[in-house]
Amino acid sequence: GKCKAWAVELQEVGKAADQKQAALRADIDELWRQLKADRQQGQVKYQEVSNALDGHVQSLMQKIAQLPAPGCDMAIEEDVGEFDPTLRNPGQESAFVVRSRSSPTFVAP
């Protein structure tokens, strides 16, 4: 009587739980698939931006290299002896100061 009814009810609850679990698993699998696809798209976009930026930087570096350097008429040897790695440019922890006889110059590494 009662035991059989409880067993049937328990079986139905178990079946419903299994169906809910299967539905949740399918939702999680779909979410995971979408996340992987989004990640791949993000990596592709990052690479495109990186390549474009690299091209712009290379172009700028070429243009800068072609510019005449104003005020570079002093001998390099004059400044070498006065290089002071202990002085830093405020706001740039990795920049060094080269003291020339004319004026200090901040040089990024």
Side-chain angles (χ1 to χ4, degrees):
K2 271 190 169 185
C3 286
K4 189 173 184 177
W6 284 353
V8 169
E9 187 176 341
L10 184 60
Q11 188 177 19
E12 290 173 1
V13 168
K15 191 175 182 180
D18 288 345
Q19 290 173 347
K20 183 68 173 177
Q21 182 181 7
L24 288 173
R25 172 55 59 194
D27 289 346
I28 289 171
D29 288 345
E30 177 61 20
L31 180 60
W32 186 248
R33 186 194 65 75
Q34 289 176 1
L35 285 173
K36 288 195 311 187
D38 288 349
R39 180 174 176 252
Q40 288 174 346
Q41 287 177 346
Q43 287 176 334
V44 167
K45 287 183 181 189
Y46 170 81
Q47 191 62 48
E48 289 172 355
V49 169
S50 178
N51 290 343
L53 185 58
D54 185 50
H56 289 302
V57 169
Q58 292 298 327
S59 174
L60 288 173
M61 294 300 287
Q62 289 174 354
K63 289 178 183 177
I64 289 171
Q66 294 171 357
L67 293 175
C72 287
D73 53 354
M74 73 176 88
I76 294 174
E77 292 81 17
E78 290 180 307
D79 286 346
V80 172
E82 298 187 36
F83 178 75
D84 187 356
T86 62
L87 298 176
R88 305 235 182 226
N89 180 5
Q92 291 187 342
E93 294 179 11
S94 60
F96 292 111
V97 177
V98 176
R99 290 183 181 261
S100 70
R101 289 188 171 87
S102 57
S103 64
T105 306
F106 296 100
V107 181

